[in-house]
Amino acid sequence: MNNNAVLRTVCVPVMLAAAACLASPAGAATGKTFNFSDVIQIARTQGMRPFVPLAPIPESLAGLSYNQYQEIRFKPTASLWYGTPRRFHVMPVPAGLYYNHCVSLNVIGAQGVVPLRFSKSDFTFPSAALAGKMPQHLCAAGFKLTYPLAGPDIQNQFLVFAGASYFRAVGRSNRFGLSARGLAVNTAFPPDEEFPAFRRFWLREPEPNATSFTLYALLAGASVSGAYRFEVKPGEATALAVKAVLFFRRTPRVIGIAPLTSMFLYGEGTPRPPGEWRPAVHDSDGLQIENGDHEWLWRPLINPLNFLVSSFTLNNPRGFGLMQRDQDFSSYEDLGARYDLRPSGWVVPEGAWGKGRVELVEIPSPSETEDNIVAYWVPQARPQPGRAYTYQYRILFGNADETRPPAGYVVHTFVGSGHNPGLPCKLDRDSLRFIVDFAGRIPPWSADIHGIVSAGGFASVKDVSVERNESAGGYRLSFQVAPEPRHPLELRTFLKRGNAALTETWSYLLPWGNAQRLLGTPGCLTDGGS
């Protein structure tokens, strides 16, 4: 069956442990009447019932190898709305390998709410033997949206929903990198972490010349049920306007609103692993925050030796995100991964979110194939069963330039041992040298521009200096710190003239184990000069 012809039935296919009809046999849920309030009601009802896990996919799909799964290709000509004037097309993500559960895809159109199913003939397979093992109707683990971002005749994949509640998007010049999630539950408590999943999607049929797309999603998890509305607008930066209405069966230890997930293996402020020739490997290089008073903060990411959680207490945050500020190819030299083209993810809350904290989780990782960075908003008040909690926000996926702080901002962070480069290691072997480069809207050089550096605990700071950095178009702040043994190193710095701050605040946290590695990094001459 070519999926341009959506099945004309109002019942969800039997993919879930408990299948249900979205409308009565009379077709009460039409394209005009089925809307987000219906999804909220489904989520509310679901949240009052015991949680039912999704049924596993057939072994023929779950047992696929990585190469087998990658070689199953969907035919673009079988995309939903292919060959029509509509700019948006829909392609399924087939279940299999890592995607071990099916979801239901439904279309809201002139015929009402009808399920979207894909036939085996809509795919190509690496072998006839593998094709023979596949069921006639391959269930979908999610879907991809395409849109002519690069030109009127090219359908570019720009948004993917697949796996639990994960979704990721790109702007016009990006390649896929970091992901977002519908909700994070107990992320900072790994044994208790939950991964709620989007089980059902409703895709509203767009007008032929529409430049935005609307979809709804139903979230289900052991602790929570939720209804989500996504208003999607692709472009130079792709924007998703999100509304989430959550109903809790029980109170989790921590919920994370608008979570972002990324990867940081190593970068300019961390030692390069032995044998690694690339200068840096990461999807994001820092956490950016704008608090309720229009103050900006930058936290460079690290790959810690042990599980690390940082919190930033705020009242009514104006924005936070995992950013890829360094977008120079020479910083990565990777023609395959093109980390220089990875997007940033910037969350803009709508309305007053009240008191809470942005939480950053950094997880030790030996590989660039593992996402080890998570950031999200934690409300101060823990959610209670029986109530509805509503959050609205926008997520921008695009280049970091789209959301630069209005004043000076950090462009580079370098960390190394405290000795003077190229000189014998006689002095400062127990100190670290920090270099922080600022650029942006900073006044021209003057002698009354100073670097303000503060360190937590008993760490001592010395040799603070600021100089003009012509190559970066700003200023370079340099200082040395002697860390307190067996204690994390906490630092904050910014540039100031008189009583006025000229830049965002650079905030840094270095666990003692990571500091030890830097203190022991080779790079100075021996006493003999060899």
Side-chain angles (χ1 to χ4, degrees), residues 333-381:
E333 295 291 349
D334 194 322
L335 286 171
R338 293 305 304 265
Y339 290 110
D340 56 304
L341 299 180
R342 302 298 171 102
S344 297
W346 180 245
V347 176
V348 181
E350 294 187 4
W353 280 15
K355 295 181 179 179
R357 65 184 187 272
V358 173
E359 196 158 83
L360 172 66
V361 179
E362 296 168 292
I363 304 168
S365 177
S367 168
E368 63 195 281
T369 62
E370 300 177 5
D371 283 343
N372 63 324
I373 305 295
V374 191
Y376 47 80
W377 170 257
V378 181
Q380 183 180 68

Side-chain angles (χ1 to χ4, degrees), residues 38-60:
D38 296 292
V39 185
I40 294 173
Q41 185 56 46
I42 295 172
R44 187 191 308 272
T45 301
Q46 177 181 264
M48 295 186 292
R49 296 172 178 171
F51 173 67
V52 179
L54 284 169
I57 59 176
E59 180 56 34
S60 59

Side-chain angles (χ1 to χ4, degrees), residues 116 172 252 267 343 390 470:
L116 175 61
R172 195 186 316 277
T390 301
E470 296 289 349

